Amino acid sequence: MGDQKRPLQPGETAPAFALATANFDGTVSFADLSGRPFVIGFFRGLHCPFCRRQLEQLASVQPTLRAAGVETVAVINTPVERARLYFRHRPTPITLLCDPDCRTHRAYGVPHGEFLPEGSCEQPEWPYGATMAQFLAARINPTGELPEPLHPMEANTILNAKDGFELDEADNAIFANHATQLVGHFLVNANGTIGWVQIEALDGPNSLSIFPTAAEITRNIASSAANVLHGLGPR
C-alpha cells in the first residue's frame, strides 16, 4: 500500500528517537549515540524465535564492532516490562530498546505486510499489498532447524516450543497487532546519515526471517566506512 514510508537509503538522515531500554533502567536516545557510528536493528517482538536468534547473533558480533568504534543497538517490538523480565535471565551486551508501537520501525521505513482485500483487482506488491494466498504459500527454514521448510507461523510455533518460550499476554497482544512487521538493519554513520541498509524479505515471503550474518554485517560496515573515507559516500 502506498501510505507506508519506504525504507531509508544510504545518504539519508536517520530519524531521532528516545526509547526505554530493556537491559537496564532508563532510556537511550539518538542524541546519546550521536558522534559515533552504530548498527541498529528493528525487530518483531519476543514472540518471534528468529528475531531472538538474530539478537544473539548481534551479541556475538558486538565485540568486533565495538573494537572498530561501532555501537550495536536493537529495537524490539515488546513492552519494556516484558522485555526487562526476559533479558534479566538472558543478559546481552547490546543496547536493547523497546518500541511496542513500532513507531521507530515506521520512521526508518521498515515495512509491515499489508494484504489486499479478497477479490481485489489491484496488482499485488509484496509486502505493501500482498495477497493472502501469496503469504499462505510461503515456506521457510532460514536457520536449518526445521525438518523441512514450513509456513512461517508453523515454524514460529515449532521453534518457540523447542526453546521452551511461552507467549504471555503481552506477547500475544503484540503478535495480534504487529504480526506482519518486517525486520530491518541499518548502519548510522557518525554524522547521522544512513550508511547501509538491509530489509527482510523484500523479494517475497519465502525470504522471511533471513537476516544478515555476522560476516555480512562486518563486511558492509567496513565497506561503508571505506566509502566515506574515500569520498564515495555521504560525509
Side-chain angles (χ1 to χ4, degrees), residues 77-127:
N77 174 219
T78 295
V80 65
E81 297 84 3
R82 167 60 168 155
R84 284 178 178 168
L85 176 63
Y86 180 84
F87 287 104
R88 189 175 303 136
H89 301 286
R90 297 166 181 81
T92 178
I94 65 178
T95 299
L96 286 167
L97 308 180
C98 296
D99 187 351
D101 299 316
C102 288
R103 290 177 183 170
T104 45
H105 298 65
R106 305 279 179 271
Y108 280 71
V110 184
H112 60 277
E114 296 186 38
F115 297 106
L116 296 172
E118 189 72 29
S120 173
C121 295
E122 286 188 58
Q123 184 69 26
E125 181 195 2
W126 174 269

Side-chain angles (χ1 to χ4, degrees), residues 163-216:
D163 295 347
F165 183 90
E166 295 185 12
L167 278 67
D168 70 0
E169 183 177 350
D171 297 319
N172 283 315
I174 290 295
F175 179 74
N177 291 321
H178 301 286
T180 62
Q181 178 62 52
L182 297 185
V183 169
H185 292 71
F186 297 79
L187 169 67
V188 179
N189 294 317
N191 64 358
T193 60
I194 302 296
W196 164 70
V197 181
Q198 195 276 344
I199 303 294
E200 173 193 18
L202 285 183
D203 59 347
N206 285 329
S207 297
L208 285 167
S209 299
I210 295 177
F211 305 136
T213 65
E216 289 170 335

